[in-house]
């Protein structure tokens, strides 16, 4: 249904269907399916692993340490589930999937 507004999954305000960022609350991917951080297949908040690649979708939040669904944001503290590579030449933002940077391969901790 192109052209119809959809409610943002975080703040509930109506945003354009193609919005990549909610203009009201600033969160990414406000509408449309959540996607696996590794293979980008659609996932649901009641999944414990990705149905396509098997990635565990229950992770410890890098910000608060609580277990949360591996969506875009922590269910407990609301922080984005990303880590930034500590390599000063890289600094790639990435989902906390593994121990190594997806770009430069350096350890993330
Ligand atoms: Zn919003
Ligand atoms: Zn996946
Ligand atoms: Zn958290
Ligand atoms: Zn890196």
């Amino acid at each position: 249904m192109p052209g119809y507004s959809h409610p943002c999954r975080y703040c509930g305000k109506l945003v354009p269907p193609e919005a990549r960022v909610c203009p009201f609350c600033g969160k990414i991917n406000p509408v449309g399916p959540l996607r696996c951080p590794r293979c980008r297949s659609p996932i649901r908040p009641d999944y414990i692993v990705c149905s396509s690649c098997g990635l565990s979708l229950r992770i410890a939040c890098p910000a608060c340490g609580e277990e949360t669904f591996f969506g875009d944001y922590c269910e407990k503290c609301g922080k984005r589930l990303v880590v930034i590579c500590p390599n000063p030449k890289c600094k790639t933002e990435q989902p906390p999937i593994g121990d190594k940077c997806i770009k430069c391969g350096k350890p993330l901790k």
Side-chain angles (χ1 to χ4, degrees):
M1 294 192 298
Y4 283 84
S5 293
H6 293 272
C8 166
R9 80 170 101 249
Y10 301 105
C11 71
K13 294 211 166 105
L14 290 176
V15 296
E18 69 280 5
R20 296 176 147 267
V21 179
C22 174
F24 302 103
C25 68
K27 295 203 151 116
I28 60 159
N29 190 19
V31 294
L34 291 163
R35 290 185 181 275
C36 171
R38 184 159 72 190
C39 71
R40 311 309 294 167
S41 294
I43 53 173
R44 290 181 12 196
D46 51 350
Y47 286 7
I48 58 166
V49 293
C50 171
S51 60
S52 178
C53 73
L55 178 72
S56 175
L57 298 175
R58 305 298 309 180
I59 61 151
C61 168
C64 71
E66 297 282 333
E67 189 184 273
T68 178
F69 174 68
F70 202 168
D72 293 319
Y73 295 89
C74 173
E75 290 171 322
K76 303 283 167 22
C77 71
K79 293 259 167 58
R80 249 188 97 183
L81 293 173
V82 292
V83 287
I84 296 169
C85 177
N87 177 354
K89 291 199 201 89
C90 176
K91 289 192 186 295
T92 301
E93 270 195 8
Q94 56 205 285
I97 293 171
D99 301 332
K100 296 202 173 98
C101 174
I102 52 171
K103 191 140 176 228
C104 71
K106 291 252 187 333
L108 288 171
K109 282 175 211 157

